[in-house]
Amino acid sequence: MGLSDEELWDCLSQVSDPEIPVISIIDLGIVRAIERREDGRCEIVITPTYSGCPAMHVIEAHIRQALEDRGAENIEIRTQLSPAWTTDWMSNAGKEKLRAFGIAPPAQRAENTLGTIDISALMLTKDVDIACPQCASMNTRLISQFGSTACKALYRCGDCLEPFDYFKPH
């Protein structure tokens, strides 16, 4: 007997993002669906945070291992690129986990910047107020459009002087 959908979701909530281990792939919003097929297979649908995300193969392997460890059989993992992942899919709990880990979560909804994809809409400006995840100061400034990964920018706090990553809305 296979796992119920609830058991599958619970199992997937224990799989961490390999680049940010404090957040699960559920909280990150990359697990889009669990679909039962007529042939008895269960399909896990995932969407990468961006189409070239190098961690997707690792995430797939971790999903498969976690489900097999729980006794799941006949699992397929399908990557779906459309609609494109957006930071709007992140859970509030996930955003708080990012903040506690020292990464500032997105400060605005990505739906305001998506529409027609324009790279300038994804670039950060001084108009975006980013709170320091260490001390909550708003006295922060952009150091680089790209942080430790392409989906993050590097900021520095003017009060506690700590550098930190900011998870860009996209």
Side-chain angles (χ1 to χ4, degrees), residues 6 27 38 73 81 94-95 106 108 116 146-147:
E6 183 179 327
D27 282 332
E38 289 181 21
E73 298 175 350
L81 299 178
K95 291 175 184 177
Q108 64 192 45
T116 306
F146 300 99

Side-chain angles (χ1 to χ4, degrees), residues 46-141:
I46 58 176
T47 298
T49 55
Y50 65 98
S51 61
C53 179
M56 288 311 290
H57 293 293
V58 173
I59 290 171
E60 286 182 32
H62 288 179
I63 289 171
R64 188 169 307 285
Q65 186 65 55
L67 294 173
E68 287 175 357
D69 287 351
R70 283 266 191 94
E73 298 175 350
N74 298 320
I75 297 291
E76 282 190 21
I77 301 168
R78 177 171 55 94
T79 299
Q80 177 179 301
L81 299 178
S82 181
W85 179 86
T86 168
T87 49
D88 293 345
W89 294 353
M90 293 173 72
S91 72
N92 288 334
K95 291 175 184 177
E96 286 307 312
K97 289 175 187 176
L98 286 177
R99 188 182 329 278
F101 189 63
I103 299 172
Q108 64 192 45
R109 291 186 52 83
E111 72 180 19
N112 298 333
T113 61
L114 290 177
T116 306
I117 299 300
D118 174 5
I119 192 66
S120 65
L122 299 177
M123 301 305 274
L124 300 172
T125 66
K126 293 182 179 185
D127 297 338
V128 179
D129 292 325
I130 309 301
C132 173
Q134 307 299 326
C135 70
S137 170
M138 296 304 286
N139 180 18
T140 61
R141 77 176 172 91

Side-chain angles (χ1 to χ4, degrees), residues 137 139-141 156-162:
S137 170
N139 180 18
T140 61
R141 77 176 172 91
R156 179 178 308 277
C157 178
D159 290 335
C160 71
L161 304 179
E162 288 293 322

Side-chain angles (χ1 to χ4, degrees), residues 16-23 28 49-50 53-56 58-59 101 103 148-152 167:
S16 297
D17 177 80
E19 294 175 340
I20 311 169
V22 297
I23 189 170
L28 193 54
T49 55
Y50 65 98
C53 179
M56 288 311 290
V58 173
I59 290 171
F101 189 63
I103 299 172
S148 60
T149 60
C151 57
K152 293 180 246 157
F167 209 111

